[in-house]
Amino acid sequence: IYLNHEGPLVIKKVGVQLYVASKNILITGGGTGGHLFPALAIGEEIQRRMPEAKIHYVGSLFGLESKVFPIKDVWHTLLPIRGFHRGFSVTSIIRNIILPFRIVKSLIKTNKILKEFKPEVVIGTGGYASAIPLYMVSKKNDSTTIILQEQNSFPGITTRLFANKANKICIAFEEPNHALGDNTVVTGNPVRKGIGDGNKRNGLHEFRFEEENKTIFLFGGSQGSAYLNRMISEVAEKISNGGIQLLWQTGDLEFQKYNHLESKNIRIVPFVNNMADAYAISDLIVCRSGALTLAEITVCGKPSILIPFQFAAGDHQKKNAESLVKHNAAHILDEKTLTPKLLLHNIMNLIHNEDKLEKMGNSSSDLGRPFATNTIVDHILEKS
């Protein structure tokens, strides 16, 4: 094995010629962006280091990946699988009735992929889309390397199910280490390239903000949060009247509902394309506590008020948030007891406390792992 700045490459000598041995790598995960984007980031870094590697992505026909994979122009297969619905609506009942048939079809399709592609490495980033490929590979009892990447402080069901079959589990938080066994390594979560390199001057110009005023950035993920939108709408004017600027991402579905509240100090947008510059202008973040969101705000070294989604599976968003709170990098507010008045009180107390903001920002930066993707791929290539 020859090591250089590009990463480990397997070199074989045949006569007087040298060539790089390629690998067949299957990356499976999706359903939501939290599982999909780490899969893509890992695949892109592997491809950068090993251009000859053949990477095949597997996701769900019903997940976000069905839209993203074609745009990314990656080799992929979509399984006709979707998650179990816990509701009692007619739609949920019907979907659960046909779920066994979807599982059988997905098993058949996955078996065909494994026979034809013959992966040497299988990487699972979680979600229902990854369960079937991981199950079938784990049953083969061959030399296939299995790597899991867990985004949340409370591991998802797929990670828990296949932890004992994995050669390595890359985790983002220290908390699940003991629950998953001894083959875990804390790597952090992959973040978008350049997310911590935003330009404050460009951001202020784009959102028409003044440099001398403090800026709050509120968002609820790429799709927005109806709950956060409702809460901030009750206090946005008071924040603005206090000389504080507010960048408010509503999500596409609710933009028309709230865009009339825009004013001199308030910018309301359905979606922020340039998140790096948005982070750069922000003095305080108000958001949910999804794993990838926390990875980004810590890489950017931003203080935050976190409002975990109370219905997240295993209450993982609250556990994610607590991992920042215990390091004094964030404050946490409980959705069940939160009121607009309490939200305003917490925002105004923090935004006017320069010393507190600086200490929280420094603590946040200490938790950031900007090279998480590289570290994860290091472990993948080490084990494969």
Side-chain angles (χ1 to χ4, degrees):
I1 297 179
Y2 174 77
L3 300 178
N4 65 10
H5 70 282
E6 291 294 324
L9 298 174
V10 180
I11 306 294
K12 292 184 179 180
K13 186 174 181 180
V14 180
V16 294
Q17 292 183 322
L18 292 176
Y19 70 93
V20 179
S22 65
K23 282 187 176 294
N24 288 359
I25 299 174
L26 190 76
I27 303 180
T28 177
T32 65
H35 299 302
L36 171 63
F37 295 122
L40 288 168
I42 291 167
E44 288 168 3
E45 177 60 18
I46 292 173
Q47 201 81 75
R48 186 189 72 80
R49 297 194 197 183
M50 300 175 63
E52 300 301 316
K54 296 176 182 177
I55 299 178
H56 191 151
Y57 294 88
V58 177
S60 168
L61 189 62
F62 305 99
L64 181 61
E65 57 270 26
S66 65
K67 298 178 181 178
V68 175
F69 282 161
I71 294 173
K72 289 283 188 178
D73 193 27
V74 296
W75 185 13
H76 68 277
T77 298
L78 297 175
L79 304 177
I81 190 68
R82 69 192 319 161
F84 181 81
H85 285 254
R86 292 177 174 82
F88 294 98
S89 67
V90 174
T91 301
S92 295
I93 292 171
I94 292 174
R95 286 179 178 175
N96 288 338
I97 288 173
I98 65 176
L99 181 59
F101 300 97
R102 293 193 182 281
I103 291 173
V104 171
K105 289 179 67 176
S106 297
L107 286 167
I108 294 171
K109 201 165 187 175
T110 300
N111 187 55
K112 184 179 179 182
I113 295 170
L114 297 178
K115 281 186 175 180
E116 295 178 355
F117 184 58
K118 297 181 173 63
E120 298 157 79
V121 183
V122 176
I123 303 164
T125 60
Y128 55 83
S130 66
I132 287 179
L134 288 171
Y135 168 76
M136 296 200 70
V137 170
S138 67
K139 291 294 183 183
K140 286 174 63 181
N141 293 319
D142 62 8
S143 59
T144 304
T145 300
I146 296 177
I147 307 289
L148 303 181
Q149 193 268 324
E150 174 57 50
Q151 299 87 35
N152 293 295
S153 60
F154 180 76
I157 187 170
T158 302
T159 301
R160 299 198 306 272
L161 282 173
F162 298 102
N164 64 334
K165 301 290 185 180
N167 299 87
K168 183 74 74 174
I169 306 171
C170 298
I171 59 177
F173 301 90
E174 295 179 0
E175 284 77 1
N177 189 36
H178 300 299
L180 297 176
D182 297 329
N183 59 343
T184 60
V185 58
V186 181
T187 59
N189 273 318
V191 296
R192 288 174 274 190
K193 288 184 179 179
I195 199 69
D197 302 323
N199 186 295
K200 185 173 182 178
R201 184 179 296 274
N202 291 344
L204 291 170
H205 176 75
E206 178 180 350
F207 297 109
R208 308 187 310 281
F209 281 148
E210 301 295 330
E211 185 172 3
E212 61 269 19
N213 294 338
K214 295 289 186 183
T215 302
I216 296 165
F217 181 20
L218 179 137
F219 61 96
S222 59
Q223 301 301 313
S225 163
Y227 177 82
L228 293 189
N229 288 340
R230 187 174 76 252
M231 280 288 162
I232 200 67
S233 70
E234 297 286 333
V235 299
E237 186 176 354
K238 292 179 180 178
I239 291 172
S240 173
N241 290 342
I244 308 301
Q245 298 169 153
L246 172 64
L247 175 57
W248 173 5
Q249 179 184 298
T250 61
D252 288 329
L253 294 178
E254 297 210 317
F255 174 67
Q256 295 297 331
K257 184 176 179 180
Y258 294 107
N259 68 334
H260 68 280
L261 295 175
E262 184 159 316
S263 66
K264 178 185 176 182
N265 286 335
I266 302 174
R267 296 290 171 269
I268 302 176
V269 294
F271 184 78
V272 175
N273 288 302
N274 188 352
M275 284 293 285
D277 286 355
Y279 283 132
I281 67 172
S282 303
D283 296 288
L284 177 64
I285 308 289
V286 181
C287 60
R288 293 297 200 184
S289 49
L292 299 193
T293 294
L294 299 194
E296 290 189 349
I297 64 177
T298 53
V299 164
C300 295
K302 295 297 175 178
S304 57
I305 293 176
L306 303 175
I307 307 171
F309 178 51
Q310 64 174 317
F311 300 112
D315 206 17
H316 71 258
Q317 284 212 4
K318 183 178 181 181
K319 294 179 174 68
N320 291 348
E322 287 171 345
S323 68
L324 267 66
V325 171
K326 78 176 186 179
H327 289 97
N328 301 312
H331 286 186
I332 186 171
L333 296 176
D334 191 338
E335 182 176 338
K336 297 174 184 177
T337 58
L338 185 60
T339 64
K341 183 178 180 180
L342 184 59
L343 176 61
L344 178 64
H345 176 76
N346 276 268
I347 287 175
M348 300 309 281
N349 274 357
L350 262 182
I351 202 68
H352 289 301
N353 191 332
E354 290 271 5
D355 184 57
K356 183 71 171 176
L357 285 178
E358 183 178 359
K359 288 179 179 178
M360 289 176 67
N362 290 337
S363 296
S364 177
S365 183
D366 289 342
L367 294 172
R369 294 178 180 267
F371 304 109
T373 307
N374 291 337
T375 305
I376 291 167
V377 173
D378 285 344
H379 286 288
I380 291 170
L381 297 181
E382 174 190 294
K383 283 292 181 181
S384 59

